[in-house]
Amino acid sequence: MCKVIAIANQKGGVGKTTTAVNLGIGLASEGKKVLLIDGDPQGSLTICMGHKEPDKITESLVEILDMVVNEDDIPDGFGIIHHSENVDLLPSNIGLSSVEISLVNIMSRELVLKSYVNQVKENYDYVVIDCSPSLGVMTINALACADSVLVPVQAAYLPVKGLQQLIKTIYTVQRRLNAKLEIEGILLTMVDNRTNYAKEIVLEVNDAYGKTIPVFPIEIPLSVRAAEISAVGSSIYDYDPKGKAAFAYMSLTKEVLSHGC
Ligand code: ATP
Ligand code: MG
């Protein structure tokens, strides 16, 4: 059985892509077959996986969604790039924003990604979808095909405020499109434990949401090494295996594994 996890938060720069990379590669290091899907026209996940010029990639999620819309057959393995840390990547690029616009006029526009994921999920134990910082049609597509959504939240005042809107959207998707969608958990990221402020935010999130929504017991620390991986094309386990961010992301991976499929 394959579990599809969307990493979503409409707030920008909260650690979605960094979490997608390190959760995906973490799961692979535990022996799971993993597909990472870049669901963001910025192509950040594609860049983080070592492909510095996503706009030059001609076989990607962009072409796949076009094929689904046109009801064309998708060749086996189309667009998928294998990464040396044992995960597959389906890249994306700026073309995804045109696809998003074209989806507005088609029937079942929220279910286009699901149609693709359903075709490939038998090949994987986990599909991890990195969403863009918006609640647009691609994010809704990701939520509509996911079993669960993992919500990274930067431990700061404004990002925490924005959570309410996302949670509302998740519940709307649950009601209208995907009754099985669960919240995998809220993940606090970039936590600077040297400051009281960060500690207060962590307490605030637990107080405000902890009773209704799972909040991961693991926090991702603020770490320069974690920030650097976007440029090196590898995971934190490869780049700084003994660091605190690698330890935190491996603990997150184990926690997600313990939730089962
Ligand atoms: P976007 O909304 O633009 O897609 P995002 O939510 O995917 O952003 P990331 O790209 O993962 O967020 O991270 C935002 C920035 O913060 C990046 O420059 C990244 O390298 C950095 N960053 C991520 N995690 C950490 C961390 N634990 N400590 C310090 N910096 C981090
Ligand atoms: Mg991102």
Side-chain angles (χ1 to χ4, degrees), residues 16-17 40 44 130-131:
K16 292 180 289 295
T17 302
D40 181 356
S44 314
D130 181 32
C131 295

Side-chain angles (χ1 to χ4, degrees), residues 2-261:
C2 173
K3 185 168 190 177
V4 181
I5 304 178
I7 316 267
N9 189 336
Q10 82 282 12
K11 179 82 183 76
V14 295
K16 292 180 289 295
T17 302
T18 308
T19 299
V21 170
N22 294 301
L23 173 62
I25 294 178
L27 289 165
S29 76
E30 293 291 300
K32 301 296 178 188
K33 283 189 272 174
V34 179
L35 172 64
L36 288 168
I37 298 182
D38 191 345
D40 181 356
Q42 296 181 97
S44 314
L45 176 62
T46 304
I47 296 170
C48 282
M49 299 292 282
H51 306 280
K52 296 268 173 352
E53 297 191 274
D55 295 347
K56 293 201 173 143
I57 297 176
T58 53
E59 293 189 2
S60 71
L61 179 62
V62 177
E63 289 72 29
I64 284 179
L65 295 181
D66 266 338
M67 287 187 234
V68 174
V69 170
N70 296 323
E71 297 183 8
D72 293 336
D73 286 339
I74 302 165
D76 265 355
F78 184 93
I80 289 177
I81 304 174
H82 192 69
H83 183 271
S84 57
E85 287 181 81
N86 275 326
V87 289
D88 282 349
L89 165 73
L90 180 62
S92 236
N93 58 42
I94 191 67
L96 196 63
S97 44
S98 323
V99 175
E100 272 200 277
I101 295 168
S102 69
L103 287 182
V104 168
N105 292 319
I106 73 145
M107 231 196 306
S108 308
R109 60 175 175 268
E110 295 93 355
L111 302 177
V112 179
L113 181 58
K114 181 174 183 169
S115 166
Y116 169 70
V117 169
N118 280 348
Q119 284 179 49
V120 292
K121 69 198 268 192
E122 65 180 28
N123 302 329
Y124 296 99
D125 300 309
Y126 285 89
V127 174
V128 176
I129 308 170
D130 181 32
C131 295
S132 71
S134 91
L135 292 175
V137 65
M138 267 318 294
T139 300
I140 304 298
N141 263 271
L143 296 177
C145 75
D147 297 294
S148 71
V149 50
L150 189 157
V151 182
V153 179
Q154 191 186 347
Y157 179 68
L158 283 174
V160 169
K161 278 269 165 218
L163 256 183
Q164 206 56 46
Q165 181 60 40
L166 175 65
I167 289 165
K168 235 175 103 183
T169 304
I170 293 170
Y171 288 146
T172 308
V173 170
Q174 250 175 1
R175 278 197 311 277
R176 298 196 186 166
L177 293 167
N178 181 7
K180 69 176 187 339
L181 179 66
E182 288 179 357
I183 301 182
E184 192 76 40
I186 294 175
L187 175 69
L188 282 150
T189 61
M190 303 183 216
V191 178
D192 185 353
N193 265 326
R194 292 166 307 180
T195 67
N196 285 332
Y197 179 62
K199 287 180 200 152
E200 279 164 25
I201 297 270
V202 171
L203 286 175
E204 195 185 310
V205 168
N206 276 290
D207 272 1
Y209 300 102
K211 289 192 193 74
T212 47
I213 295 171
V215 179
F216 282 104
I218 300 119
E219 293 146 18
I220 307 300
L222 188 73
S223 144
V224 176
R225 306 296 271 172
E228 284 168 354
I229 62 153
S230 350
V232 295
S234 65
S235 72
I236 192 72
Y237 317 113
D238 191 59
Y239 184 61
D240 185 30
K242 295 198 160 52
K244 56 187 181 173
F247 180 79
Y249 271 117
M250 193 36 80
S251 307
L252 172 74
T253 300
K254 298 218 161 109
E255 183 71 22
V256 168
L257 279 169
S258 78
H259 294 179
C261 284

